[in-house]
Amino acid sequence: WLPKAHVEAPIAGSMVLAAVLLKLGGYGIIRMTPTNISTALIYPTIAMATWGIIMTGLTCLRKTDLKALIAYSSVGHMGLVASATLIQTPWSTSGAVILMVAHGLTSSMLFCLANMLYERTSTRMLIAMRGMQKAMPLMTSYWLIASLTNLALPPTINLIGEIQIMTTLFNWSPLTIMMTATGAAITAIYSLQMFMTSQQGHLTKDSKEVYPAQTRELLIMILHALPILLLTLNSELIN
């Protein structure tokens, strides 16, 4: 239901859902999961969560709807959080909290950027948004920041959270590295594909009259990018 809710919701709803409500769910899992939970429940749940990372990534590779692509990416990242919270170690919980904060900023920023393109092109199809670097060169820099943080480029805060979770999962069961590493590789592929498709190439006929970014839009981007930068420089602020 989550991708459909993201796609059908207005931009404010998508941003709040990605940045706040999903994180409330992760916080609830952390608080409500007992420390002596049965392994009979942990194994299938973590298996489904890690397998969901790969399946949502593969879904993103074939999505042409930009908003649906970002929504499925959000689901994949929360699969990492869900698997980490079930292990219930200090390292895994810390990684889950860091990734939730980082993903809340990144996903909200991507949804806002997608809505800016939708307002100018009246479509969510990636192929119809190509060449936006020529029309809005300043917004391309924010697209680059959001895409690189989404794929957990070093030394972003997203990478710190994902590394902590992957390390914990590997110590818990070495087999999980196949799922998490594959999911990380797929995430990098569709994040770069999303950026290249929407920003590079020639403008379409319908995009010739695209107006540049407005002051309020740039302010929203700064309010997303600045916390990401500050947390990257000092991730201890989260803990």
Side-chain angles (χ1 to χ4, degrees):
W1 61 269
L2 185 61
K4 290 185 178 180
H6 273 305
V7 171
E8 296 176 6
I11 178 58
S14 295
M15 293 173 67
V16 172
L17 178 58
V20 180
L21 296 183
L22 280 180
K23 309 312 174 279
L24 287 176
Y27 175 75
I29 295 174
I30 294 174
R31 293 299 300 269
M32 299 301 294
T33 302
T35 55
N36 58 347
I37 187 172
S38 172
T39 55
L41 181 62
I42 289 180
Y43 280 106
T45 306
I46 291 182
M48 286 189 293
T50 52
W51 180 245
I53 298 170
I54 297 178
M55 296 309 296
T56 53
L58 293 175
T59 303
C60 289
L61 288 176
R62 59 184 295 272
K63 278 294 177 184
T64 57
D65 188 323
L66 180 58
K67 203 172 183 183
L69 191 157
I70 300 171
Y72 276 100
S73 174
S74 179
V75 175
H77 283 92
M78 291 307 294
L80 273 175
V81 173
S83 59
T85 53
L86 289 172
I87 299 178
Q88 286 291 305
T89 63
W91 190 254
S92 68
T93 304
S94 175
V97 172
I98 290 174
L99 186 58
M100 281 194 291
V101 173
H103 175 260
L105 292 168
T106 304
S107 184
S108 176
M109 186 175 182
L110 284 171
F111 275 118
C112 190
L113 285 167
N115 183 71
M116 291 177 189
L117 294 185
Y118 175 72
E119 289 177 346
R120 289 163 170 80
T121 61
S122 300
T123 180
R124 293 198 300 263
M125 295 297 105
L126 269 172
I127 193 64
M129 297 178 178
R130 64 182 186 271
M132 285 298 156
Q133 182 177 1
K134 298 177 181 178
M136 298 191 299
L138 184 57
M139 296 307 297
T140 302
S141 61
Y142 290 109
W143 266 105
L144 182 62
I145 293 173
S147 300
L148 293 181
T149 53
N150 190 60
L151 63 85
L153 182 79
T156 57
I157 188 68
N158 302 61
L159 178 71
I160 298 173
E162 289 192 14
I163 288 296
Q164 284 192 221
I165 293 174
M166 289 181 184
T167 303
T168 308
L169 287 173
F170 181 76
N171 291 332
W172 178 75
S173 174
L175 291 177
T176 57
I177 194 64
M178 295 187 294
M179 300 290 192
T180 54
T182 304
I186 296 174
T187 301
I189 293 172
Y190 71 69
S191 296
L192 292 176
Q193 180 185 18
M194 174 181 63
F195 173 76
M196 295 296 292
T197 305
S198 62
Q199 303 302 310
Q200 301 295 318
H202 298 286
L203 283 169
T204 61
K205 295 180 179 179
D206 297 332
S207 302
K208 297 293 185 181
E209 303 299 328
V210 171
Y211 55 90
Q214 299 176 356
T215 303
R216 63 175 180 84
E217 295 173 334
L218 294 175
L219 178 60
I220 294 174
M221 291 298 101
I222 292 173
L223 292 176
H224 282 88
L226 190 59
I228 293 175
L229 177 60
L230 293 177
L231 291 174
T232 299
L233 295 176
N234 186 9
S235 61
E236 294 182 359
L237 292 173
I238 297 178
N239 298 323

